[in-house]
């Protein structure tokens, strides 16, 4: 009986092979940590593309052994979800020609492709000239063209990690529409590669033949090849169905199908998303990405260094919790809720601005974090809570743009990602937003979103709506506390919201002087 759904989730910190039942229960899980990223120069971050595939195949093989081992013959199909924006060039047989450039990589191109004067004039008129230049400078394609022109010219395809895994699984250069979140000539309104006359073809160093074919979410990408079957232990010919990028799958796996439900992702990057049947932009000229729902859009507010800040705190200030966690055999982050409980809402005036990295448009290239309001009463517990409050404030600030674009107020939130496992983090989030926050029944929401796409694609559920109703549910609700919400309202309005404008001149001076970037 083929009654299990296999989701392969390649994130930034680990790759996981997940088996779900058609009712959304997680039946088996195998994980391999990705702790072998290379940093050949300051600000760079790369990874061997073949190693991504080998780790993915090993995780799938591990499902067939161990105490909860399953039978590969029970698997009905497979869907892939991956981290966004990481890219690599490959040859005609799919072999990587260079390490994948990973999304936090900060290298920039300096020799930029020529954009026609009329396009430059159009960007200038709408006040986005500098945004066009930042787009071109940040594009990995332009960096390869400048620094490795021979490699760039001979590359058969440039693939996202989803495209790499799909090629390894099916033998075809094909990818999902839902995975296209990167510096690529992709039309976010039409969910297709840009038309030949459009500006991205001029702004980016790439030819149309260097891109994979695109398939809509929920449609077949192909079937498992003989080589992939041998590598994974799965049967040859198994259906491979198109899913979406990890953030879009988290939104779907959290059950956030309607525009009035906000989906919070408390991962390395923190985001607030809604699913919309029409194209909307939460921030002007920042596109709505493809949703994990066919023909839908995911309007997004993004904090680049989201719960990365928790990892930063752990490494710099969390030594007592790390030592205790090692003795108890648990993750250090599981002990941080005790720090949250030691500090009242508002952190007795300590306020953190989580602008550690530039955004797509804002904050600009001068972006740096800031912490203000220190007094003698403040401890590292205050700093930890201030990190969580700062992230919640930043996402609340983005909420206004989402509601303005959709024309619909948010009435509730769903939270997923590693940070959503913290009761303290979700309670203060409910208080900052003055909205109830639901935690899904599984923390593997990105994998569950891929499994939902797979179930619909295989016909196990008639529609995405039916699949979400059957496979998602809220495990626990966190209700806003009126007194804390009142305090946060004042702090957000009077302290946090004007803060970036006040410190921006100083940040621009630091950026201009190159302080800290030597």
């Amino acid at each position: 009986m083929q009654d299990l759904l296999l989701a392969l989730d390649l994130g930034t910190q680990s790759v996981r092979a997940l088996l779900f039942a058609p009712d959304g229960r997680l039946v088996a899980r195998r994980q391999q940590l990705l702790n072998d990223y290379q940093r050949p120069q300051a600000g760079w971050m790369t990874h061997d593309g073949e190693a991504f595939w080998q780790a993915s195949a090993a995780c799938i093989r591990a499902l067939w052994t161990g105490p909860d081992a399953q039978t590969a013959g029970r698997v009905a199909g497979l869907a892939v979800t991956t981290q966004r924006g990481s890219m690599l060039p490959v040859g005609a047989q799919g072999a990587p020609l260079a390490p994948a450039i990973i999304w936090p990589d900060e290298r920039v191109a300096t020799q930029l492709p020529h954009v026609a004067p009329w396009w430059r004039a159009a960007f200038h008129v709408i006040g986005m000239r500098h945004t066009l230049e930042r787009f071109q400078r940040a594009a990995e394609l332009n960096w390869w063209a400048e620094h490795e022109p021979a490699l760039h010219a001979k590359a058969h395809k440039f693939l996202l990690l989803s495209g790499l895994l799909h090629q390894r699984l099916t033998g075809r250069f094909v990818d999902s529409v839902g995975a296209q979140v990167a510096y690529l000539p992709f039309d976010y309104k039409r969910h297709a590669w840009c038309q030949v006359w459009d500006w991205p073809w001029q702004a980016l160093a790439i030819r149309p033949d260097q891109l994979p074919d695109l398939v809509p979410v929920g449609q077949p990408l192909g079937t498992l090849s003989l080589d992939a079957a041998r590598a994974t232990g799965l049967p040859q010919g198994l259906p491979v169905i198109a899913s979406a990028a990890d953030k879009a799958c988290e939104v779907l796996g959290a059950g956030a199908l309607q525009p009035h439900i906000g989906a919070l992702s408390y991962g390395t990057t923190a985001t607030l998303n809604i699913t919309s049947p029409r194209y909307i932009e939460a921030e002007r000229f920042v596109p709505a990405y493809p949703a994990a729902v066919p023909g839908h859009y995911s309007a997004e507010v993004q904090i680049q260094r989201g719960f990365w800040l928790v990892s930063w705190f752990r490494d710099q200030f969390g030594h007592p919790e790390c030592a205790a966690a090692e003795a108890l055999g648990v993750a250090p982050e599981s002990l941080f809720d005790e720090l949250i409980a030691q500090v009242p809402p508002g952190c007795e005036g300590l306020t953190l601005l989580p602008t550690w990295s530039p955004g797509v448009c804002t904050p600009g290239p001068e972006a740096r974090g800031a912490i203000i309001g220190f007094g003698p009463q403040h401890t590292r517990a205050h700093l930890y809570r201030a990190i969580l409050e700062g992230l919640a404030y930043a996402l609340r600030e983005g909420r206004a743009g989402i509601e303005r674009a959709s024309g619909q107020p948010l009435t509730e939130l769903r939270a997923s990602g590693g940070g959503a496992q913290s009761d303290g983090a979700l309670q203060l989030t409910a208080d900052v937003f003055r909205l109830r926050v639901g935690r899904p029944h599984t923390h593997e929401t990105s994998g569950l979103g891929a499994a939902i796409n797979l179930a619909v694609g295989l016909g196990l559920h008639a529609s995405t709506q039916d699949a979400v109703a059957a496979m998602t549910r809220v495990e626990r609700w966190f209700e806003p506390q009126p007194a804390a919400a009142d305090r946060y309202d004042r702090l957000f309005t009077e302290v946090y919201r004007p803060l970036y404008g006040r410190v921006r001149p100083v940040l621009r001076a630091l950026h201009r002087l190159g302080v800290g970037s030597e």
Side-chain angles (χ1 to χ4, degrees):
M1 182 172 61
Q2 293 180 310
D3 61 343
L4 295 180
L5 303 163
L6 174 55
L8 182 61
D9 185 351
L10 174 57
T12 305
Q13 299 182 21
S14 70
V15 58
R16 299 180 300 285
L18 308 163
L19 283 173
F20 289 94
D23 64 358
R25 286 179 298 111
L26 182 60
V27 176
R29 175 183 186 271
R30 297 293 185 269
Q31 179 180 27
Q32 184 168 319
L33 297 178
L34 299 172
N35 50 17
D36 54 347
Y37 288 101
Q38 294 85 46
R39 293 172 172 81
Q41 295 189 33
W44 290 24
M45 185 173 178
T46 65
H47 196 280
D48 178 55
E50 186 63 26
F52 277 137
W53 163 241
Q54 294 297 335
S56 300
C59 280
I60 295 175
R61 286 198 308 272
L63 289 167
W64 323 133
T65 60
D68 59 347
Q70 303 299 316
T71 303
R74 290 183 62 190
V75 177
L78 185 156
V80 169
T81 182
T82 68
Q83 56 179 277
R84 308 185 306 189
S86 300
M87 188 185 305
L88 77 167
V90 300
Q93 303 304 314
L97 301 180
I101 296 181
I102 307 304
W103 63 268
D105 190 287
E106 297 176 355
R107 74 186 77 183
V108 295
T110 56
Q111 297 177 17
L112 306 180
H114 176 71
V115 176
W118 53 87
W119 281 119
R120 289 192 174 278
F123 276 92
H124 182 75
V125 166
I126 62 176
M128 301 296 285
R129 177 172 59 87
H130 294 299
T131 299
L132 172 62
E133 293 176 0
R134 286 171 57 191
F135 174 91
Q136 289 189 277
R137 288 169 59 82
E140 299 87 355
L141 295 168
N142 293 343
W143 187 91
W144 274 309
E146 177 183 349
H147 294 276
E148 299 190 45
L151 179 151
H152 183 278
K154 76 174 184 179
H156 182 65
K157 302 289 181 184
F158 287 93
L159 300 177
L160 300 178
L161 298 186
S162 51
L164 173 70
L165 293 183
H166 289 142
Q167 193 279 330
R168 285 291 192 274
L169 291 166
T170 68
R172 302 178 61 213
F173 290 107
V174 63
D175 204 1
S176 172
V177 162
Q180 305 313 302
V181 182
Y183 294 105
L184 287 169
F186 182 75
D187 188 326
Y188 289 97
K189 286 185 179 180
R190 295 173 52 248
H191 286 175
W193 297 128
C194 289
Q195 300 185 72
V196 293
W197 51 262
D198 211 348
W199 66 267
W201 290 113
Q202 298 181 28
L204 298 170
I206 192 168
R207 306 186 308 268
D209 64 277
Q210 291 178 307
L211 293 169
D213 295 332
L214 295 182
V215 171
V217 171
Q219 295 299 309
L221 290 158
T223 59
L224 203 70
S225 69
L226 177 59
D227 287 344
R230 289 171 174 165
T232 61
L234 289 164
Q236 182 182 2
L238 188 77
V240 181
I241 301 297
S243 185
D246 55 1
K247 293 295 184 185
C249 283
E250 279 189 30
V251 175
L252 183 62
L257 267 185
Q258 293 81 31
H260 68 90
I261 303 175
L264 292 168
S265 174
Y266 276 167
T268 306
T269 295
T271 58
L272 171 63
N273 297 70
I274 63 166
T275 302
S276 171
R278 62 187 180 89
Y279 181 86
I280 58 175
E281 295 178 351
E283 184 178 352
R284 191 176 177 226
F285 302 118
V286 177
Y289 301 131
V293 182
H296 284 60
Y297 304 90
S298 184
E300 178 175 298
V301 173
Q302 179 183 118
I303 311 301
Q304 185 83 348
R305 300 280 186 167
F307 268 69
W308 173 90
L309 289 171
V310 171
S311 300
W312 171 78
F313 176 88
R314 177 199 63 207
D315 295 341
Q316 303 302 323
F317 306 102
H319 304 114
E321 286 74 24
C322 288
E326 185 174 2
L328 294 172
V330 299
E333 290 83 355
S334 65
L335 304 180
F336 287 167
D337 268 11
E338 297 176 15
L339 297 179
I340 301 174
Q342 295 173 21
V343 178
C347 295
E348 298 181 284
L350 193 67
T351 304
L352 181 138
L353 194 63
T355 50
W356 255 248
S357 298
V360 178
C361 287
T362 55
E366 77 283 347
R368 294 179 183 225
I371 309 171
I372 68 162
F374 275 108
Q377 74 276 23
H378 290 127
T379 66
R380 66 189 186 94
H382 288 82
L383 177 58
Y384 182 68
R385 184 173 182 122
I387 288 172
L388 301 182
E389 290 181 351
L391 291 172
Y393 285 146
L395 293 171
R396 172 177 165 172
E397 189 172 34
R399 169 189 177 181
I402 285 180
E403 292 180 333
R404 181 173 57 252
S406 69
Q408 197 166 352
L410 297 182
T411 61
E412 63 184 60
L413 301 172
R414 308 285 173 86
S416 55
Q421 305 316 301
S422 163
D423 290 355
L426 295 196
Q427 184 57 61
L428 71 83
T429 299
D431 295 338
V432 168
F433 277 83
R434 203 184 284 270
L435 291 174
R436 67 173 187 163
V437 178
R439 180 161 60 204
H441 74 282
T442 176
H443 67 279
E444 295 287 3
T445 47
S446 56
L448 179 57
I452 289 171
N453 291 148
L454 178 58
V456 177
L458 295 174
L460 300 180
H461 291 294
S463 67
T464 302
Q465 291 74 18
D466 289 345
V468 166
M471 299 176 70
T472 71
R473 45 203 167 271
V474 172
E475 175 192 65
R476 178 179 173 184
W477 289 102
F478 294 81
E479 302 288 344
Q481 301 170 333
D486 289 344
R487 179 177 295 182
Y488 283 132
D489 279 346
R490 292 198 62 186
L491 289 170
F492 174 76
T493 302
E494 299 177 31
V495 178
Y496 181 85
R497 196 158 57 184
L499 184 56
Y500 192 78
R502 300 281 176 83
V503 301
R504 177 181 278 169
V506 176
L507 300 182
R508 284 177 170 169
L510 290 171
H511 180 70
R512 184 174 62 254
L513 295 170
V515 177
S517 59
E518 296 87 346

